[in-house]
Amino acid sequence: MLLPMSSQNVIQYLQEAGLCSSENTTLDQTELPERNKKNYNLLVTLADNRKLLIKQECSLENHETSHELFNEWLFHQLLQQFPVIGNISAIAPLVLHFDEENSILVRNYFSEYLELEGFYRHNDIFPTEIATVIGTTLAELHRATFQRREYRDFMATAPEGQFRYHFYNPAQGIDSISPEIFGTVPTEALKFYALYQRYESLESAIADLAYEWNPCCLTHNDLKLDNILIHSRWNQLDNCLVRLIDWKACAWGDPAFDLGTLLASYLRIWLSSLVVDPTIELEESLHLAMTPLEVIQPSLLALIRAYLDAFSMILEERQDFIVRIIQFAGLALIHQIQETIKYQKYFDNSNLCMLQIAKNLLTIPEQSVMNIFGVCESEIISPLAKLHKLTQPEKEQQLIRLYYEKTRLRGC
C-alpha cells in the first residue's frame, strides 16, 4: 500500500481517477467506522449530490493485506462477465473503481437505502415481503451458479503474484486456546472458552458440519442483516426493495452456509433483547424477550419458503438441507460471540444464553427446526413437495452418541 487515504487527499484522488471533475467540489466528508477495523471508510458527498464510499484495506502486521477488496472487485467483474446474475437487481454492481496497488475501492453509496438490521431494530417490525425478496434473490444467485464450473473458476482468480485456494471451508470452530488468551480477553469471557471445550457434543457437531461441507455454487459468505439494504420507501415500490452489499467474502461455497448466517443474524435481534439475570433460568429469559421470537418467526418462514420455492432442486441434492441451515446458524452465533470478545472486549449473561441456543442448534438441529420456524421440517417442505414432486426427507433413527472423537477435524 503506497497511498494512505485521508480526508485531505481523497478529492484529489477521485479527480485523478476520473470519478469527479475539478468543478465538482465536495460538500461533505464523513469517516465511517469499520466494525472489524480491517478497512478505512470515507463517505464523500459531491456537489451533484452523488455519494461515494471510499474503502481502503489496512495493512496487517506483516504489511500484507487480506485482499478482501480485490475479492469484491472480482465479484463486480463477474457480474459484468455473466449477465445472468448481473441482471439480478438486488445484487447489481455498485463498484466504480478499484486500485489494487493501494488497496482502494470506490463504490456508489445509496442514501435512499437503510441497513436492514437498523430498520428492524428501530421499527420493531419484520414484514414478510422483505424476507420473501431476500430469500428469492439469494436462491436466484445460488441456482444460476449451481454446479457451474465457469463461475467457480472465475472466482478462483488470484491477485497478481498471489496464490489462492479454490475452496475455503467456513465450518470452523473457535481458534485453539493458548496461554496468551489470559492477556487478551476479559476475565469473564474465559467462561465461554471453558464451556466450549467442555461440550464435546458441540465440537463433534462442528466437526461433522465441516466434514459434510458441500461447495456447489457462488455464496456471499457474510450475509448478515447489516449487509442488506432496504429502500426507505420499500412499502411503496414494486421492485428493488433490497440490495445485497459487501461481497468481499464471496466465494465458491455451500448455500446452506449463507442461509444459516442470515438466520443467525435474525436470531441475534431476538437474543439481544433478552432479559438476563443470574437468578433467571434460560427458558424464562427467552419468554421475557423484548422482541419475542414469535414476532420474527413469520419472516424466517417466509425467507426459507421463498428460497426453496425458487431453488427447490437443492432439496433433491441435499435432503438434510434445512437441518444444515439450522446448524450453520448455531455456528454463526458462536463466531459472533467470539467476535464480540475479540473486538469489543465484552461478555455477559446474554452471551451465555446465545451460547446455549447455538449449542442446541448444532447438536439437536431436528428439534430446533420446530423451535426456530414454529413449524416442523415436513410442514416447510410439504407445499413444495406437492408442487415440485419432491421426496420427503427420511427420518433417521435418533441415537445418542456414547463417544466423541474430540480431536477429529478440530479447528477445521
Side-chain angles (χ1 to χ4, degrees):
M1 184 171 64
L2 303 177
L3 176 67
M5 187 58 60
S6 69
S7 57
Q8 284 72 41
N9 62 8
V10 64
I11 296 301
Q12 180 182 352
Y13 180 85
L14 293 175
Q15 291 173 353
E16 292 176 354
L19 297 175
C20 69
S21 63
S22 56
E23 293 81 14
N24 194 3
T25 55
T26 182
L27 290 177
D28 185 35
Q29 299 177 26
T30 306
E31 184 176 343
L32 301 178
E34 176 69 15
R35 295 175 184 84
N36 56 17
K37 300 181 180 179
K38 289 183 180 180
N39 299 329
Y40 173 75
N41 295 342
L42 194 65
L43 179 62
V44 175
T45 304
L46 302 176
D48 58 2
N49 288 326
R50 280 192 306 140
K51 289 190 176 184
L52 302 179
L53 179 61
I54 296 88
K55 306 178 73 172
Q56 184 168 40
E57 196 169 9
C58 300
S59 296
L60 304 176
E61 293 180 0
N62 56 3
H63 303 292
E64 295 181 354
T65 61
S66 59
H67 301 293
E68 289 184 342
L69 297 185
F70 170 85
N71 211 47
E72 188 161 355
W73 171 250
L74 186 63
F75 179 73
H76 168 80
Q77 297 293 96
L78 180 81
L79 298 182
Q80 305 296 320
Q81 182 83 10
F82 300 98
V84 172
I85 59 173
N87 290 331
I88 302 175
S89 60
I91 59 174
L94 307 176
V95 179
L96 299 174
H97 171 77
F98 178 61
D99 178 353
E100 184 173 352
E101 183 179 12
N102 295 297
S103 296
I104 296 173
L105 182 139
V106 182
R107 70 168 176 86
N108 285 315
Y109 185 89
F110 295 116
S111 56
E112 290 188 335
Y113 283 79
L114 312 167
E115 284 189 0
L116 185 55
E117 180 167 8
F119 169 85
Y120 281 150
R121 291 183 183 275
H122 178 73
N123 297 284
D124 201 29
I125 59 172
F126 303 87
T128 56
E129 308 96 294
I130 297 174
T132 297
V133 171
I134 297 171
T136 302
T137 298
L138 192 60
E140 288 175 350
L141 172 67
H142 291 168
R143 183 187 62 200
T145 60
F146 184 68
Q147 303 291 22
R148 298 289 295 273
R149 183 169 182 172
E150 60 269 33
Y151 294 98
R152 184 194 69 182
D153 292 345
F154 192 99
M155 289 306 298
T157 304
E160 185 176 353
Q162 301 289 324
F163 177 78
R164 171 179 289 191
Y165 290 104
H166 279 240
F167 306 115
Y168 167 70
N169 189 340
Q172 301 186 28
I174 67 174
D175 300 333
S176 299
I177 301 173
S178 62
E180 288 76 15
I181 193 174
F182 294 98
T184 58
V185 305
T187 303
E188 58 270 19
L190 296 176
K191 186 175 182 179
F192 163 69
Y193 295 96
L195 288 172
Y196 178 86
Q197 288 193 317
R198 182 186 305 170
Y199 297 141
E200 293 190 1
S201 60
L202 181 60
E203 286 193 300
S204 178
I206 295 174
D208 289 341
L209 199 58
Y211 179 75
E212 296 173 4
W213 181 69
N214 182 32
C216 58
C217 65
L218 198 61
T219 51
H220 185 285
N221 286 340
D222 193 24
L223 197 58
K224 300 175 290 189
L225 292 175
D226 51 16
N227 281 336
I228 301 176
L229 303 180
I230 176 72
H231 200 284
S232 58
R233 294 182 290 108
W234 63 271
N235 54 349
Q236 302 172 23
L237 301 177
D238 294 329
N239 53 19
C240 209
L241 264 68
V242 301
R243 285 185 179 272
L244 278 54
I245 62 171
D246 285 351
W247 293 84
K248 56 182 177 291
C250 176
W252 197 251
D254 190 326
F257 180 77
D258 269 354
L259 285 162
T261 305
L262 182 56
L263 180 62
S265 197
Y266 274 96
L267 295 180
R268 283 201 300 271
I269 296 178
W270 163 51
L271 294 172
S272 65
S273 74
L274 297 183
V275 177
V276 292
D277 188 273
T279 62
I280 300 178
E281 295 292 332
L282 174 61
E283 289 298 323
E284 186 177 356
S285 292
L286 298 179
H287 288 299
L288 293 175
M290 299 295 290
T291 303
L293 178 59
E294 290 77 13
V295 173
I296 305 176
Q297 274 180 341
S299 280
L300 300 181
L301 196 56
L303 173 73
I304 189 65
R305 280 180 168 163
Y307 180 93
L308 294 176
D309 187 54
F311 188 26
S312 58
M313 179 176 33
I314 194 64
L315 292 175
E316 299 175 8
E317 297 290 327
R318 294 301 302 256
Q319 293 191 355
D320 61 346
F321 187 66
I322 294 178
V323 168
R324 288 173 57 77
I325 292 171
I326 289 290
Q327 290 184 299
F328 274 123
L331 183 62
L333 291 177
I334 288 177
H335 288 166
Q336 178 61 44
I337 296 172
Q338 193 176 22
E339 282 191 16
T340 301
I341 295 172
K342 181 177 180 180
Y343 294 111
Q344 301 178 26
K345 307 298 181 183
Y346 179 76
F347 186 83
D348 63 3
N349 288 329
S350 64
N351 298 117
L352 286 176
C353 290
M354 187 179 294
L355 175 60
Q356 183 60 51
I357 296 299
K359 176 177 176 290
N360 291 344
L361 296 180
L362 277 158
T363 58
I364 50 173
E366 292 85 359
Q367 177 181 330
S368 297
V369 170
M370 180 69 182
N371 295 334
I372 297 303
F373 291 109
V375 298
C376 63
E377 184 180 1
S378 61
E379 290 182 79
I380 297 175
I381 296 177
S382 57
L384 300 166
K386 295 176 183 177
L387 185 62
H388 300 284
K389 298 182 180 180
L390 300 173
T391 57
Q392 294 281 350
E394 295 182 5
K395 294 293 183 181
E396 296 182 0
Q397 186 179 4
Q398 299 298 307
L399 301 177
I400 299 177
R401 295 190 183 189
L402 299 180
Y403 175 73
Y404 295 102
E405 189 177 355
K406 188 171 182 178
T407 58
R408 179 184 45 161
L409 289 176
R410 184 175 181 181
C412 292

